Amino acid sequence: MKTAVIKFPGTTCEVDVYKALLEAKVDAEIVKFKDFDPDKYEAVVLPGGFSFGDYLRAGSIAASTETMKKVKEMASEGKVVIGICNGFQILVESGLLEGALLPNLNLRFISKWVYIKVVRDDTVLTRGLDKKILRMPIAHAEGRYYHEDVEKAKSLAVFLYSDEFGNVSEKANPNGSLLNIAGIANEEGNVVGMMPHPERASFKLTSPTEETDGLLLFRGLSK
Amino acid sequence: MLYYVELIIMNKDGVRDPEGETIQRYVVNRFTSEILETRAGKYLLFKVNANNQQEAENLVRKLAEEMRLYNPIVHKIEVKVIRSENGSN
């Protein structure tokens, strides 16, 4: 899939995402937010960072840009939209995904490797994935997922914070997210948002265990 | 006329507010037991050109809603005109 990696002012992870996509054999390029032409692409990735300084709320200003209107049109046409970390925050702020991402319960910026359990296999990233417990880092201050309707949240969830055996417990919940939710998708599965960073778990050299679980997810875009 | 309109954005009652809880636990509780709860929020102050107070307030409310200055899933807002001055001054 021809994939655009969108850079807003303050986005910081676009090069990492781009390199990881190439590693996963995805045809990708980095595009500045104002130059984005949705007709050229079948998929778009919103990488992490601090778009527009995270002023007001993380992701809220990027969410109101013309660029996100175009991304919304792509999503409604069934094209693929992925948001990682700040990208996930932009997706919930723009209403492309349900719920909200609040400041972490401990009010700290949390940066650490976590395990996440895959609980939906009908999304563009997780379709056909054999491995169900993945390891990758999180790095965020506003990642506490919230939804008014707990049952709805359960049905949207794709990734849950867990331990290495896949047990989903309060202890494995780094930020106070509802139901340990680390990532969700829309019902159709073409719009996926996640707080963990698969691009930082895509190269042996920068992985503590030499595992590259992030690549497994990005390969969903190479099909 | 110029109106100064404040917009306060708070977490809804059911949504936990760790900043307020922390201030309560580590500052307020050390000072008094008479203050039972602290909620933190965000404060914005607008200088608005409008014909009357109601119009100024409505404009800020519309701004907050349509441009999503708050997230209605988790936040509630308060809009208040705090003072006015003659625009020609």
Side-chain angles (χ1 to χ4, degrees):
Chain A
M1 271 182 229
K2 181 90 172 150
T3 302
V5 179
I6 295 186
K7 177 171 173 60
F8 291 100
T11 298
T12 56
C13 299
E14 73 279 5
V15 175
D16 290 13
V17 169
Y18 169 72
K19 286 183 179 170
L21 287 170
L22 293 192
E23 188 74 11
K25 307 274 185 285
V26 180
D27 180 13
E29 58 190 25
I30 298 171
V31 189
K32 285 191 186 150
F33 81 113
K34 281 190 175 165
D35 303 335
F36 176 58
D37 176 1
D39 296 334
K40 283 193 192 161
Y41 305 97
E42 296 151 85
V44 53
V45 180
L46 307 174
F50 306 84
S51 59
F52 297 92
D54 275 354
Y55 293 156
L56 193 63
R57 290 183 307 279
S60 68
I61 295 179
S64 63
T65 56
E66 287 298 311
T67 311
M68 285 312 296
K69 273 190 197 155
K70 297 175 192 165
V71 172
K72 262 186 203 172
E73 280 166 27
M74 285 178 75
S76 63
E77 288 164 12
K79 290 181 176 177
V80 171
V81 178
I82 309 295
I84 299 164
C85 196
N86 194 227
F88 184 18
Q89 292 162 338
I90 295 169
L91 290 180
V92 295
E93 283 291 341
S94 61
L96 264 165
L97 287 174
E98 289 185 31
L101 289 157
L102 291 163
N104 299 337
L105 259 196
N106 68 4
L107 287 178
R108 293 205 181 100
F109 188 98
I110 305 171
S111 175
K112 66 174 192 180
W113 283 73
V114 297
Y115 292 95
I116 51 174
K117 185 180 180 180
V118 180
V119 290
R120 260 178 78 182
D121 59 6
D122 61 340
T123 78
V124 61
L125 294 186
T126 57
R127 205 167 285 147
L129 195 67
D130 292 328
K131 202 168 177 182
K132 294 295 178 205
I133 299 158
L134 310 176
R135 194 169 184 216
M136 54 189 71
I138 53 168
H140 61 250
E142 296 180 38
R144 174 167 52 118
Y145 185 76
Y146 180 85
H147 197 298
E148 292 160 311
D149 180 345
V150 179
E151 284 308 308
K152 187 72 204 255
K154 199 180 264 181
S155 72
L156 297 174
V158 180
F159 304 106
L160 305 179
Y161 296 111
S162 73
D163 65 14
E164 59 186 301
F165 307 108
N167 300 311
V168 178
S169 65
E170 194 54 44
K171 207 174 150 222
N173 189 342
N175 55 19
S177 282
L178 180 73
L179 304 170
N180 281 41
I181 288 174
I184 63 164
N186 61 352
E187 280 166 24
E188 295 77 14
N190 65 317
V191 181
V192 187
M194 59 191 300
M195 290 314 295
H197 286 271
E199 78 277 12
R200 298 186 192 176
S202 291
F203 299 92
K204 276 187 177 180
L205 190 65
T206 49
S207 166
T209 57
E210 297 204 340
E211 285 174 302
T212 53
D213 291 351
L215 279 186
L216 303 176
L217 300 180
F218 285 133
R219 285 200 184 113
L221 298 177
S222 66
K223 285 162 197 162
Chain B
M1 287 283 280
L2 281 177
Y3 294 89
Y4 288 83
V5 186
E6 47 175 45
L7 170 68
I8 298 170
I9 305 164
M10 306 271 295
N11 279 9
K12 282 182 185 170
D13 292 342
V15 179
R16 280 186 68 183
D17 161 33
E19 189 175 357
E21 288 172 27
T22 305
I23 296 167
Q24 175 75 30
R25 193 176 320 133
Y26 293 102
V27 182
V28 177
N29 285 350
R30 284 173 53 206
F31 178 74
T32 174
S33 58
E34 299 305 315
I35 298 177
L36 306 179
E37 193 184 7
T38 306
R39 303 283 283 176
K42 195 168 253 257
Y43 180 98
L44 298 163
L45 180 62
F46 301 98
K47 198 169 164 182
V48 183
N49 194 1
N51 290 319
N52 57 57
Q53 182 165 331
Q54 193 59 45
E55 190 182 303
E57 188 183 315
N58 289 349
L59 184 65
V60 169
R61 193 172 290 279
K62 199 159 177 267
L63 166 78
E65 274 160 18
E66 291 184 14
M67 299 310 287
R68 276 180 62 100
L69 287 182
Y70 76 111
N71 181 345
I73 299 169
V74 286
H75 299 136
K76 57 181 182 181
I77 55 169
E78 273 174 42
V79 183
K80 229 183 312 176
V81 176
I82 51 167
R83 69 189 170 93
S84 60
E85 62 187 43
N86 197 319
S88 62
N89 284 345

